[in-house]
Amino acid sequence: MDQILLGTLIFFLVPVYIKKRQSSIALSTIALYFVEAIVLFFVWTVISVFFTFKDYPFNVSIILYYIIIGFGYVAIIIYAVLGKYHKTHKPSSFSCASKYLSATTFGIICYHIFRLTYFQAYEYRDNISYISAINDIIETNRFFLYNEISGKVILGHTNMSRKLALSAWYTFEAAISYISGLHPLIIVNTVLPPFIILFSYMSYWLLSELLFEKQYNKRLSFLLVIALLFQFLTEETSTLFLIWPTWGKNLVLSVLIPIYLYFYYTPDLKEKSRHVILVLTGFSACFISTMGVVLIPILIIGCKIHAIIEKKRIELKDIISTLTLLLPVLIYAVIFILW
Amino acid sequence: MLYAVCFLAVIFLLKNNHSKRWIIIIPVFVIVIVLNPFFAHFTYKRIFPSFLEYGRLTWVMLIPFIIALAFVEFKDRIGKKGKSRCWVVLLLILFLFSGGNPFFKFIVVPQNPYKLNCSVLDICTELDSDLKSSFDYSYVHTSTRADLSENDNRPTILVQYDDAQSTTGSCLYWGIRQYTSRVLLANTVIEPVDYSSEDFILSDYGISNYQYFACTNDKHLKNQALSYGLSLLAENKDYLLFKNEKEVTIYFVRHGETEANVAELLAGSGTDAMLTQLGQAQAEEAGEALSGIEFSQIYTSELTRTKDTAQIILSKNQSKTLQKQAKTYAKLNDIDWGDVEGMSISDVLSIYPDFSEETYIGTISNSSFVSPIHAESKYSVASRMRTALGHIAMSTDNNGDALVVGHSCMQWELHYMFSNEDIPTLNNAYITVLEYNRGEWTLKCVNVDPNQFSLVE
């Protein structure tokens, strides 16, 4: 448990420290959190899929993950400490946002998080089999040893459900459970929901930055309406699904799609950095849920239509960038077919 | 319709604002078009039917985004007075729609951070604790998958399904499944109307094949499980958890030779043939071989030949078994040969030249076989024998011995239980010994001549 607390502290404090030391980084602190989460998940995806394919022990994958991200964090902190100190003063106009609107929005969001985390419905069929799979991984120290529904032994990686074997999200939850020492039921039912709901709102907050720029009242109104609609509409439109973190498609829709749009359109990123982050986000979307494999190409096509509308022609660099952004989908498709 | 109106309003409002940020909703627009259920129905539905779920989910989960965007832009243009009205209208709409919010349907106050019912969690923790103390899990970490699949010797648990217990009727089963993977689960439906009835027999549900049994806390279930010698591991107001630690030895003896055997008739449950003199002598030999064993239970079928054989065996018994009475058990009855019951084999072959077991009574694994001669199928007989053996194991005292006098059709069930063993046709009054140990059966010896039995023992 203390490892998870330490990890959470590092997760939230490192971007704050880097942003303070290197104010020239155009991305906001919230955007840096998403970059950090996406990179962490990408590293885990590579390890998880490889270890699943090779049937290596689960605890060895955790150790390897520790080593890689440990080195990564150390390198980033050294860069921040030893790198040239940049401080640029960016006046924040958030102070002119309505206090009542800020308080209401914040209150509604907190209420949403509390309500859906505390009062989670007990049973949902898909959740049951996924939690079984996560529990099996931890107890057996093997990736997908047992069929999550029948409980029978899965003979080899070719007999695994490809959708499950290539979804690093379940193994990621197993990793969190293993590191924290908490039972997967607690992780999935109690610990993860508030983080995921919070990240969902953070992604919409970033998206509102593109829509309304520095009009904070409008951004807060937007977020407030989102929060009200999330909570009080019917089953189909509410984020009830967010309380079941084993639903990968939920994460893709509520967190990754908005953040993908943000990273695509934000003026705060250079083209190369943008491409790298979008490719990594695409990887995350594909390897969290097969819904990402479907949505990412549609999203990219939609985004590219804008370029065509603006320039009224198709350029070679657009085609190259499209193919680059489609790389995660292509890699996923190749692994899926060859698995 | 509301979605489409808002969407178009957003495009109009943002575009007229001469702001390029309207471009950002183009990809959303593309998603909406491509994944729109109406569009999907006329295009890719037939090719990718499962794709529609993605379409539905994505499409509707973008609704809040679109509505929020439209709301903010619209509110910005209608002046100060209109702004408060906008909020009122929005809240009214939400109030109207909120009745359909599923959150209000199955909101449950959590009893623990596992979000499991406390009674279920109690059973899970007791089970997990017992498994850890009595089961070596290290083989899972060292064996290859192929080794594990051949010999998946995880203990097994039978969990009672009762639809009355929860919204899905499965919270005990799925609670255990989510909590621990150490045990292999199976479930069986035992409804309250079943376990409340006077002729409810718990062993008919296959409980003898499992090391653990979890069920509703009901006195009928509890009394029967305890009468079977199952240990009560955990009990709370809702559920019970039992452990099967029974060890029983079953001595199965086929009845002695009958007149039907001599006449080579197909004598099944419809033919109550009597023992011949040789059959009686065979039964006496079997009785001599088993004379030193104190049987705590004696079972026969309902047919005279098995009852007579048992009586002769018991007459030779030197232990306190003499004071016990044999119980007749219908599930031990011989096969019903239907239209050919009681006919000689030659007569049968003259009517059905292609007569064979596989063609006329099916195979052990074919549960849907319908016999053309209205006979009982082999699958049905073997299942019956399996239930019978389970019941006998459960009703015999722990570490006790049971005598079962039955028919040659027991051979089919032995084939099923011990597929790697060579099971011969069971001869009249020959002895087969089965050992039952905590849900698992082993074949100590099969079809042994009573005169050789002491050597085998």
Side-chain angles (χ1 to χ4, degrees):
Chain A
M1 186 62 190
D2 45 357
Q3 293 177 50
I4 281 291
L5 286 173
L6 180 66
T8 308
L9 271 173
I10 292 172
F11 179 85
F12 282 105
L13 291 179
V14 165
V16 171
Y17 178 71
I18 290 172
K19 185 72 182 165
K20 230 178 171 180
R21 287 281 306 183
Q22 306 288 337
S23 304
S24 60
I25 295 175
L27 284 178
S28 63
T29 310
I30 293 177
L32 286 177
Y33 285 141
F34 279 100
V35 173
E36 186 184 10
I38 286 164
V39 170
L40 287 174
F41 185 73
F42 172 75
V43 172
W44 175 256
T45 300
V46 172
I47 294 172
S48 167
V49 173
F50 178 74
F51 273 62
T52 304
F53 182 74
K54 286 288 192 181
D55 198 20
Y56 288 157
F58 175 66
N59 57 350
V60 174
S61 69
I62 302 285
I63 294 168
L64 183 63
Y65 188 62
Y66 268 154
I67 293 169
I68 295 173
I69 63 168
F71 271 120
Y73 272 113
V74 166
I76 286 170
I77 292 170
I78 290 173
Y79 162 75
V81 168
L82 298 180
K84 199 173 173 186
Y85 180 65
H86 286 283
K87 181 152 177 76
T88 52
H89 179 67
K90 258 189 180 178
S92 167
S93 54
F94 193 82
S95 53
C96 56
S98 161
K99 285 179 192 151
Y100 299 111
L101 196 54
S102 306
T104 309
T105 307
F106 187 69
I108 294 279
I109 291 171
C110 287
Y111 170 69
H112 185 196
I113 292 173
F114 169 76
R115 198 185 75 163
L116 287 191
T117 304
Y118 186 74
F119 289 108
Q120 182 180 343
Y122 280 135
E123 293 161 34
Y124 185 72
R125 292 232 177 240
D126 283 8
N127 214 36
I128 286 164
S129 55
Y130 295 141
I131 293 178
S132 303
I134 295 165
N135 187 41
D136 289 350
I137 291 171
I138 294 166
E139 285 207 354
T140 63
N141 197 33
R142 307 271 278 272
F143 286 89
F144 305 114
L145 178 63
Y146 298 131
N147 181 293
E148 74 277 11
I149 296 170
S150 69
K152 298 286 186 184
V153 174
I154 297 173
L155 281 176
H157 71 271
T158 51
N159 292 316
M160 288 178 198
S161 155
R162 279 180 282 186
K163 175 191 147 180
L164 209 61
L166 293 181
S167 178
W169 179 241
Y170 306 115
T171 59
F172 191 68
E173 287 175 315
I176 296 172
S177 173
Y178 182 88
I179 294 167
S180 67
L182 294 173
H183 196 280
L185 274 168
I186 299 178
I187 294 294
V188 170
N189 289 345
T190 304
V191 173
L192 278 181
F195 286 100
I196 293 172
I197 297 168
L198 184 66
F199 268 78
S200 177
Y201 281 116
M202 281 160 57
S203 68
Y204 278 104
W205 177 251
L206 287 175
L207 202 57
S208 70
E209 184 187 317
L210 295 179
L211 292 166
F212 305 110
E213 290 161 3
K214 293 198 188 317
Q215 301 174 70
Y216 286 99
N217 281 340
K218 273 193 169 182
R219 291 178 70 181
L220 287 167
S221 300
F222 173 78
L223 206 61
L224 177 59
V225 174
I226 290 267
L228 289 170
L229 291 170
F230 274 178
Q231 296 189 62
F232 295 110
L233 281 187
T234 62
E235 176 180 342
E236 301 292 332
T237 53
S238 76
T239 47
L240 189 70
F241 308 119
L242 281 175
I243 64 171
W244 294 304
T246 52
W247 251 36
K249 56 172 77 72
N250 204 15
L251 266 169
V252 170
L253 287 171
S254 303
V255 179
L256 288 174
I257 295 298
I259 206 65
Y260 196 97
L261 281 173
Y262 171 76
F263 284 136
Y264 191 91
Y265 284 109
T266 182
D268 296 336
L269 280 173
K270 293 178 187 165
E271 280 309 303
K272 272 190 184 167
S273 311
R274 191 194 307 280
H275 274 91
V276 169
I277 291 173
L278 285 175
V279 166
L280 293 179
T281 310
F283 261 112
S284 302
C286 292
F287 284 89
I288 282 177
S289 169
T290 45
M291 196 160 189
V293 180
V294 169
L295 284 178
I296 292 297
I298 297 173
L299 203 56
I300 292 168
I301 289 164
C303 292
K304 286 302 171 191
I305 288 174
H306 134 247
I308 294 167
I309 291 173
E310 260 197 326
K311 298 171 195 172
K312 295 188 176 66
R313 65 176 184 275
I314 302 171
E315 291 182 350
L316 181 65
K317 67 173 184 178
D318 290 330
I319 296 172
I320 292 170
S321 78
T322 305
L323 289 172
T324 310
L325 294 176
L326 285 174
L327 211 56
V329 177
L330 295 170
I331 290 174
Y332 184 94
V334 166
I335 296 174
F336 191 91
I337 292 165
L338 296 178
W339 187 266
Chain B
M1 181 65 78
L2 174 67
Y3 194 14
V5 166
C6 289
F7 201 85
L8 290 170
V10 163
I11 295 177
F12 176 77
L13 289 167
L14 288 176
K15 195 167 189 309
N16 279 352
N17 205 19
H18 301 290
S19 167
K20 286 213 169 168
R21 62 181 186 268
W22 70 274
I23 297 287
I24 200 172
I25 67 166
I26 286 180
V28 174
F29 181 71
V30 171
I31 291 174
V32 165
I33 294 295
V34 173
L35 299 180
N36 184 299
F38 300 106
F39 179 78
H41 181 76
F42 293 108
T43 53
Y44 49 80
K45 177 188 167 183
R46 288 197 179 89
I47 306 169
F48 305 111
S50 62
F51 192 72
L52 290 180
E53 192 195 343
Y54 292 166
R56 178 179 66 87
L57 285 171
T58 315
W59 197 74
V60 297
M61 286 183 84
L62 287 173
I63 286 178
F65 168 69
I66 297 297
I67 292 177
L69 192 54
F71 178 86
V72 173
E73 282 300 321
F74 182 74
K75 185 173 75 68
D76 192 48
R77 283 163 175 73
I78 60 172
K80 276 189 180 174
K81 274 190 184 174
K83 280 180 186 174
S84 53
R85 284 181 198 157
C86 271
W87 284 111
V88 170
V89 167
L90 177 71
L91 290 171
L92 274 174
I93 291 171
L94 290 174
F95 180 74
L96 279 170
F97 280 110
S98 62
N101 191 303
F103 181 78
F104 297 112
K105 287 181 194 168
F106 37 73
I107 178 172
V108 181
V109 176
Q111 298 175 20
N112 48 67
Y114 295 86
K115 303 289 174 71
L116 284 181
N117 177 287
C118 268
S119 301
V120 171
L121 185 62
D122 183 39
I123 297 295
C124 291
T125 49
E126 285 291 339
L127 175 65
D128 198 52
S129 168
D130 194 77
L131 288 165
K132 277 180 186 156
S133 62
S134 57
F135 177 64
D136 178 17
Y137 211 60
S138 60
Y139 81 97
V140 172
H141 304 289
T142 54
S143 298
T144 65
R145 286 176 188 256
D147 291 340
L148 287 171
S149 71
E150 283 171 16
N151 190 24
D152 186 3
N153 57 353
R154 279 180 293 161
T156 53
I157 180 168
L158 187 66
V159 184
Q160 178 223 355
Y161 247 68
D162 180 351
D163 281 338
Q165 287 180 12
S166 69
T167 53
T168 62
S170 61
C171 71
L172 179 63
Y173 179 83
W174 287 114
I176 295 173
R177 183 71 185 95
Q178 292 173 92
Y179 193 88
T180 178
S181 73
R182 295 169 197 273
V183 64
L184 198 60
L185 270 80
N187 62 72
T188 185
V189 177
I190 312 178
E191 300 280 5
V193 67
D194 297 325
Y195 58 69
S196 305
S197 75
E198 286 299 320
D199 50 5
F200 169 68
I201 301 175
L202 181 58
S203 59
D204 286 349
Y205 292 84
I207 189 177
S208 61
N209 299 317
Y210 299 90
Q211 283 78 48
Y212 296 93
F213 175 55
C215 63
T216 312
N217 189 346
D218 174 80
K219 61 174 183 182
H220 293 99
L221 286 168
K222 185 178 178 181
N223 290 342
Q224 284 221 7
L226 290 174
S227 72
Y228 288 158
L230 302 183
S231 314
L232 182 62
L233 277 188
E235 179 179 9
N236 56 54
K237 64 177 173 60
D238 296 316
Y239 302 111
L240 302 166
L241 177 66
F242 294 95
K243 187 172 184 179
N244 181 2
E245 294 178 297
K246 289 200 80 167
E247 293 182 35
V248 165
T249 305
I250 294 179
Y251 295 85
F252 177 82
V253 181
R254 188 188 168 196
H255 60 77
E257 185 195 72
T258 64
E259 296 155 352
N261 294 142
V262 172
E264 291 189 350
L265 304 179
L266 282 179
S269 60
T271 308
D272 203 7
M274 309 300 288
L275 294 179
T276 61
Q277 275 197 325
L278 176 59
Q280 290 173 15
Q282 289 169 339
E284 285 177 8
E285 284 175 3
E288 293 283 350
L290 300 172
S291 61
I293 298 169
E294 184 177 343
F295 296 110
S296 57
Q297 293 286 352
I298 305 110
Y299 283 92
T300 70
S301 73
E302 291 175 329
L303 300 165
T304 307
R305 52 190 181 270
T306 58
K307 290 184 204 173
D308 289 346
T309 304
Q311 200 173 359
I312 295 169
I313 291 172
L314 293 177
S315 68
K316 299 289 180 183
N317 197 281
Q318 296 160 3
S319 72
K320 295 175 192 170
T321 309
L322 278 172
Q323 297 161 16
K324 293 192 191 297
Q325 295 291 324
K327 295 177 189 171
T328 57
Y329 190 23
K331 286 192 175 12
L332 287 170
N333 282 356
D334 207 348
I335 182 174
D336 177 4
W337 284 106
D339 297 343
V340 300
E341 176 69 50
M343 289 172 66
S344 68
I345 293 172
S346 54
D347 288 342
V348 169
L349 286 171
S350 64
I351 300 169
Y352 306 101
D354 63 337
F355 186 86
S356 70
E357 283 185 0
E358 191 172 335
T359 314
Y360 283 83
I361 60 171
T363 60
I364 294 172
S365 52
N366 188 351
S367 59
S368 57
F369 183 84
V370 177
S371 170
I373 53 172
H374 306 104
E376 195 179 0
S377 70
K378 194 181 268 190
Y379 173 86
S380 171
V381 174
S383 299
R384 195 159 46 78
M385 294 293 145
R386 193 172 314 136
T387 306
L389 285 174
H391 175 76
I392 292 165
M394 288 289 105
S395 57
T396 305
D397 298 340
N398 196 15
N399 296 311
D401 300 308
L403 171 68
V404 178
V405 182
H407 305 272
S408 60
C409 56
M410 177 62 79
Q411 172 201 5
W412 299 331
E413 175 54 16
L414 294 177
H415 264 301
Y416 178 81
M417 289 165 71
F418 308 105
S419 51
N420 294 333
E421 302 274 353
D422 180 27
I423 308 291
T425 305
L426 301 178
N427 295 333
N428 293 111
Y430 274 34
I431 302 168
T432 299
V433 182
L434 298 158
E435 288 182 337
Y436 174 83
N437 185 355
R438 304 175 195 203
E440 290 178 358
W441 293 91
T442 49
L443 187 64
K444 194 173 175 186
C445 61
V446 61
N447 202 47
V448 175
D449 185 340
N451 296 319
Q452 312 288 328
F453 185 70
S454 57
L455 298 171
V456 171
E457 278 279 283

